[in-house]
Each structure stands twice: as structure tokens, then as C-alpha cells.
């Protein structure tokens, strides 16, 4: 690290301290971090180029650098298998995790088959095309620090060769889209387990991250752009969905929902909010169900045929410290990259809900006024509908995590059922990172995020938030909580 680079890193640390003390704006801190990060990456790239260029004369430095990079910190500890035994070998751990991840898949059933769209009029229409400029733009915007998929085609190589690769890749993508044929490499995924929380020996406490083919991701992005335009024109995604939607976020979800709740409470209306949690939200969803929903929403036959073939025959394996498990067939699950497809599952329920429904991806809240018998019955009817909807889509609610908050004066604290089980009431719930209690008092949230040495900016934001009681929630203050 030269003197200039050390100065950049030092300036970043000083800016961070200034931001924590409220003396530096968030935008200025973010720009400083980005500038320092870019300088470090450029310096690192220069070192790597120098080592590669001088490898014949200085093999020792080259292989020492490679060896240091290969030293990985163990992310997956010893795991318990189905028999309760503790496994410590990387290969065994990979197999245990792969078995667990595959256990949530739903097997194909005769009662859930894809309803193929009647007629093939779409074949007489003009076939879809993929432009060279469009592919070139995707290649140039690839993040070179992302990992490669099972085909071992690194995004850095593709980005560097964007001008040369764009034309042949555009031809391949277009032929694949028009014919419906999907390369086998695009259907494979290397699973990296990421520990969440709880006991490390429990496989259920690991979240899977799927690393797939980079050219396959470019094809997915091409289809996503077309699907997004269709969904916006046909208004497939309802206003209640804030996840993966342009112009919406956690912040808009919380502001819109709790603004309505506080208005009701301020008017003296007894209000209940029910927080719903889906088990492994999208993993049990059959591929046939997903394709049939795409067809029902009016997506063209070229796209639905490609997606059907892309989902059919998918396989995955788990990687632990370089050791790979065996390949397992994926019979269900909405793949991580196809976020818009997940909308087709989460958007349908809002059309026949009587009460207020708010969603961020699969995180769902239901709100209703319950100072009348009709209001309480309306919430129960909506819960019954949601339970039937989940069952029809091979999904189920984690009923132990579903809770109800009773708000407002003279709340009768009515009991609700989800299926055959009663929903437990709770005095407070964490919603998208913000702690909400039955009195809509934000003191606990402020205390939870209080720094060891309170600053002027923190004290001012606390006073504003407490003064407004969460009504409209002060966009700036709430955004600070979410950072």
C-alpha cells in the first residue's frame, strides 16, 4: 500500500467517525467509502497483474500469493445428520446440508400438473429477438468480484471480452429463447451455505446461496426485462407488494402500512395486526404450479416454454471448503434469480382480501378494525383464504412464528385461527428490522439502537420519533433505523 492509498483508507475511517457523530452526511460517507474501495481494488489488480507477468522469474511470490488467497475461514461447523451423529469431514457436511435443503422440495404430483395454454397461436407471431447491444451492456455491467457458477466461466473474463463475446452470446440466447432449449450448465447450481443464527450443528440454521452460470444469468436478465414490462402493463403486481419492486422498499412498506394503522388507532378504533410467516417460502413450490401461473397471467408462449424447460431437470450440489456433495435433482423451489416469478405467487392473494394486506416478498401483514363483530369475522375469513391459498400452492405457514398484535383502546383481544391452530398474541414484534409494540411506542426501538455514547444527532432523532409516536414514522428517522 502506497502513501496515497493509506491516506484514502485513513480518510475513510475519519469520515466514518464523523458520520457516527452526526458531523458528516451519509451521502458524503458513502462516496468516501466507494472511492477508497475502488483505489484498493485497483491496487490489488495491479499487484496481481505484476505477479502474473513476472511469474517466470519470481515463482515464489506468485505461489505464496495464491496460497494466501486459498486459505478460507471455516464457515460451516460440525453438523448433526438425520441419525443425530456429529459429522466433521467437509464432504460429509456437504452431503448433510444437501440432504436437508432437498428435504423441503415437493415431489411431483398428479394433482399438480401444468395446464398447458390451449392452442399455439404464439408460434405464428413474431419470435423474440436478443440484440447484440443489449447483451454487450449486460456483459459490461457484470460484477467481477462475484463468484462463478459450475461452468467455471468467470464474470471478470466475460466483462473483459465483452466486445468479442457479445455477438456470439446474443445468437445463443436468441436461439435458446426461440427453440426453448436450455443448456444443461444453465440448470446447475453450486450451493454455498451461509450460517444465520442458532446452533451451528443444526443444518436448518443455514441459508443457501445458489451460484449459477453467468451466461445463464444474462439470459434470465433478458427474459426478466421482457417480463417486467408485461407485468407493469398488465398490473400483475399489486400495490400491496413492496419487495423487488422499482420505487418501493422496506421503508415504503413500513411507512404506508403503519401510517394507516396509526390513523385508525388515533381515531380510537381497536385494530389488530397479524404477522404471517411462510415456511421455506418458495422452496416447496412445484415448477408446474409456477408455469401455470405465468400462463394464466398472459406471458407469451416463447417465454413460458423456455422457463418450463429451464426449471425441468435442475440440479444442485453443496460446496463446503472446496468439497462438493453429489448432484441432487431440484423438483420444486422458485430459483433465487427469478424474483419476478415469485411475484406471480405472492401477488395473487391481494385480489380477494377484505382487510389491509401488506407484503415485502414473503413477509406478510394483515390489518383490520375489530371493534365490531363483522370486522373480526373479516380478518378470520381472510386468514382462512390465505391458508387455502398456501395449501393450493404447496406452501404452508410457520404457525409458531405467526403472531397478532392487539392495538388501540378497549381492544377485545379476539383470538384467531390459522388452519386448525390458534395464533398467539404478542406485545411486540420485529417487522423488517423495526420493533413494533401494541402501543405504537418507538422507545424500545430507539433504546435498542442507542450508541454507547449518545450523540446530538441520535438524541434529536429520538425526540422527533417519540414525539410523533411512529405516525408517518419520519422517513429520515426510519431510514436511519434500517441502516
Amino acid at each position: 500500500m502506497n502513501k496515497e492509498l493509506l491516506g484514502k483508507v485513513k480518510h475513510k475511517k475519519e469520515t466514518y467517525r464523523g458520520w457516527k457523530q452526526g458531523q458528516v452526511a451519509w451521502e458524503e460517507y458513502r462516496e468516501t467509502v466507494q472511492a477508497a474501495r475502488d483505489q484498493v481494488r485497483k491496487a490489488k489488480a495491479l499487484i496481481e497483474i505484476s505477479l502474473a507477468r513476472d511469474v517466470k522469474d519470481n515463482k515464489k511470490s506468485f505461489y505464496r500469493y495464491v496460497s494466501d488467497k486459498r486459505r478460507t475461514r471455516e464457515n460451516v461447523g460440525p453438523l448433526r445428520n438425520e441419525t443425530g451423529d456429529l459429522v466433521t469431514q467437509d464432504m460429509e457436511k456437504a452431503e448433510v446440508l444437501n440432504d436437508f435443503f432437498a428435504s423441503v422440495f415437493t415431489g411431483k404430483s398428479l394433482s399438480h400438473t401444468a395446464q398447458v395454454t390451449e392452442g399455439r397461436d404464439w408460434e405464428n407471431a413474431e419470435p423474440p429477438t436478443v440484440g447484440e447491444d443489449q447483451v454487450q451492456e449486460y456483459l459490461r455491467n457484470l460484477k467481477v468480484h462475484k463468484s462463478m457458477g459450475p461452468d467455471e466461466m468467470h464474470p471478470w473474463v466475460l466483462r473483459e471480452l465483452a466486445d468479442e463475446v457479445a455477438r456470439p452470446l446474443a445468437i445463443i440466447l436468441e436461439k435458446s429463447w426461440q427453440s426453448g432449449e436450455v443448456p444443461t450448465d444453465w440448470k446447475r447450481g453450486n450451493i454455498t451455505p451461509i450460517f444465520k443464527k442458532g446452533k451451528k450443528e443444526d443444518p436448518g440454521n443455514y441459508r443457501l446461496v445458489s451460484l449459477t452460470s453467468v451466461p445463464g444469468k444474462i439470459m434470465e436478465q433478458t427474459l426478466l426485462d421482457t417480463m417486467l414490462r408485461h407485468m407493469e402493463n398488465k398490473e400483475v403486481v399489486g400495490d400491496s407488494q413492496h419487495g423487488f419492486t422499482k420505487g418501493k422498499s422496506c421503508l415504503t412498506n413500513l411507512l404506508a402500512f403503519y401510517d394507516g394503522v396509526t390513523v385508525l388507532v388515533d381515531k380510537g378504533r381497536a385494530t389488530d395486526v397479524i404477522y404471517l410467516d411462510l415456511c421455506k417460502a418458495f422452496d416447496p413450490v412445484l415448477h408446474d404450479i409456477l408455469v401455470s401461473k405465468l400462463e394464466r397471467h398472459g406471458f407469451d408462449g416463447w417465454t413460458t416454454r423456455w422457463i418450463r424447460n429451464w426449471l425441468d431437470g435442475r440440479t444442485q450440489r453443496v460446496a463446503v471448503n472446496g468439497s462438493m456433495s453429489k448432484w441432487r435433482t431440484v423438483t420444486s423451489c422458485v430459483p433465487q434469480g427469478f424474483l419476478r416469478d415469485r411475484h406471480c405467487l405472492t401477488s395473487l392473494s391481494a385480489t380477494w382480501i377484505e382487510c389491509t394486506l401488506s407484503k415485502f416478498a414473503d413477509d406478510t401483514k394483515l390489518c383490520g378494525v375489530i371493534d365490531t363483530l363483522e370486522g373480526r369475522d373479516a380478518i378470520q375469513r381472510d386468514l382462512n383464504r390465505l391458508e387455502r391459498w398456501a395449501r393450493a400452492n404447496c406452501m404452508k405457514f410457520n404457525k409458531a412464528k405467526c403472531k397478532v398484535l392487539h392495538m388501540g383502546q378497549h381492544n377485545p383481544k379476539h383470538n384467531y385461527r390459522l388452519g386448525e391452530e390458534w395464533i398467539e398474541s404478542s406485545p411486540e414484534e420485529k417487522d423488517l428490522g423495526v420493533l413494533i409494540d401494541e402501543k405504537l411506542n418507538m422507545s424500545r426501538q430507539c433504546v435498542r439502537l442507542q450508541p454507547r455514547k449518545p450523540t446530538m444527532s441520535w438524541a434529536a432523532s429520538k425526540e422527533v420519533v417519540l414525539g410523533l409516536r411512529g405516525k408517518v414514522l419520519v422517513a429520515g428517522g426510519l431510514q436511519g433505523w434500517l441502516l
Side-chain angles (χ1 to χ4, degrees), residues 192-208:
T192 300
I194 305 296
F195 178 69
K196 297 185 292 185
K197 60 181 180 180
K199 296 180 178 180
K200 272 204 165 186
E201 62 266 21
D202 184 1
N205 291 330
Y206 290 84
R207 174 172 57 89
L208 60 87

Side-chain angles (χ1 to χ4, degrees), residues 3-19 24 28-36:
K3 187 175 181 180
E4 181 184 357
L5 189 57
L6 287 171
K8 287 276 187 183
V9 175
K10 182 179 179 181
H11 180 55
K12 184 190 78 168
K13 293 179 179 179
E14 291 173 350
T15 308
Y16 174 74
R17 285 195 294 268
W19 173 64
V24 176
E28 181 182 348
Y29 168 63
R30 184 173 56 187
E31 290 176 2
T32 304
V33 170
Q34 188 63 47

Side-chain angles (χ1 to χ4, degrees), residues 230-249:
H230 174 85
M231 295 173 78
E232 289 177 348
N233 295 335
K234 301 295 183 179
E235 297 183 351
V236 174
V237 180
D239 293 335
S240 63
Q241 178 59 264
H242 290 252
F244 318 122
T245 305
K246 187 177 181 180
K248 294 185 177 181
S249 62

Side-chain angles (χ1 to χ4, degrees), residues 161-192:
L161 300 175
D163 295 338
E164 291 76 16
V165 172
R167 181 171 177 75
L169 184 56
I171 295 173
I172 293 172
L173 300 184
E174 186 174 293
K175 291 296 183 184
S176 175
W177 197 354
Q178 292 178 0
S179 66
E181 297 179 9
V182 183
T184 303
D185 283 345
W186 295 4
K187 299 183 181 184
R188 291 178 173 174
N190 285 339
I191 303 298
T192 300

Side-chain angles (χ1 to χ4, degrees), residues 192 198 245 250 336 362 377 454:
T192 300
T245 305
C250 292
Q336 291 176 341
D362 60 310
D377 290 343

Side-chain angles (χ1 to χ4, degrees), residues 88-284:
T88 57
Q89 298 297 320
D90 288 339
M91 182 67 73
E92 293 176 333
K93 289 190 285 187
E95 290 293 347
V96 168
L97 287 168
N98 204 19
D99 290 342
F100 175 79
F101 293 148
S103 67
V104 301
F105 295 153
T106 305
K108 288 195 174 184
S109 170
L110 294 175
S111 60
H112 292 98
T113 56
Q115 300 174 359
V116 180
T117 306
E118 299 217 359
R120 301 175 70 91
D121 296 338
W122 52 269
E123 289 187 336
N124 299 323
E126 186 176 350
T129 58
V130 180
E132 180 181 344
D133 295 340
Q134 181 184 8
V135 175
Q136 194 175 55
E137 184 69 19
Y138 291 147
L139 290 170
R140 287 175 176 171
N141 290 327
L142 286 174
K143 296 180 179 179
V144 298
H145 301 284
K146 295 289 185 179
S147 300
M148 56 188 174
D151 58 358
E152 297 185 349
M153 197 172 293
H154 203 284
W156 183 81
V157 176
L158 291 173
R159 196 178 80 167
E160 290 296 313
L161 300 175
D163 295 338
E164 291 76 16
V165 172
R167 181 171 177 75
L169 184 56
I171 295 173
I172 293 172
L173 300 184
E174 186 174 293
K175 291 296 183 184
S176 175
W177 197 354
Q178 292 178 0
S179 66
E181 297 179 9
V182 183
T184 303
D185 283 345
W186 295 4
K187 299 183 181 184
R188 291 178 173 174
N190 285 339
I191 303 298
T192 300
I194 305 296
F195 178 69
K196 297 185 292 185
K197 60 181 180 180
K199 296 180 178 180
K200 272 204 165 186
E201 62 266 21
D202 184 1
N205 291 330
Y206 290 84
R207 174 172 57 89
L208 60 87
V209 175
S210 182
L211 304 177
T212 55
S213 168
V214 177
K217 288 179 180 178
I218 294 175
M219 181 64 192
E220 294 173 33
Q221 186 62 50
T222 304
L223 265 68
L224 278 175
D225 291 343
T226 302
M227 295 173 69
L228 179 57
R229 288 194 294 270
H230 174 85
M231 295 173 78
E232 289 177 348
N233 295 335
K234 301 295 183 179
E235 297 183 351
V236 174
V237 180
D239 293 335
S240 63
Q241 178 59 264
H242 290 252
F244 318 122
T245 305
K246 187 177 181 180
K248 294 185 177 181
S249 62
C250 292
L251 182 61
T252 60
N253 177 285
L254 293 166
L255 287 172
F257 183 77
Y258 288 106
D259 181 45
V261 172
T262 52
V263 166
L264 292 174
V265 172
D266 286 345
K267 289 181 179 179
R269 308 294 300 273
T271 307
D272 280 353
V273 177
I274 299 175
Y275 298 89
L276 302 172
D277 183 83
L278 285 164
C279 292
K280 299 291 180 182
F282 302 103
D283 292 344

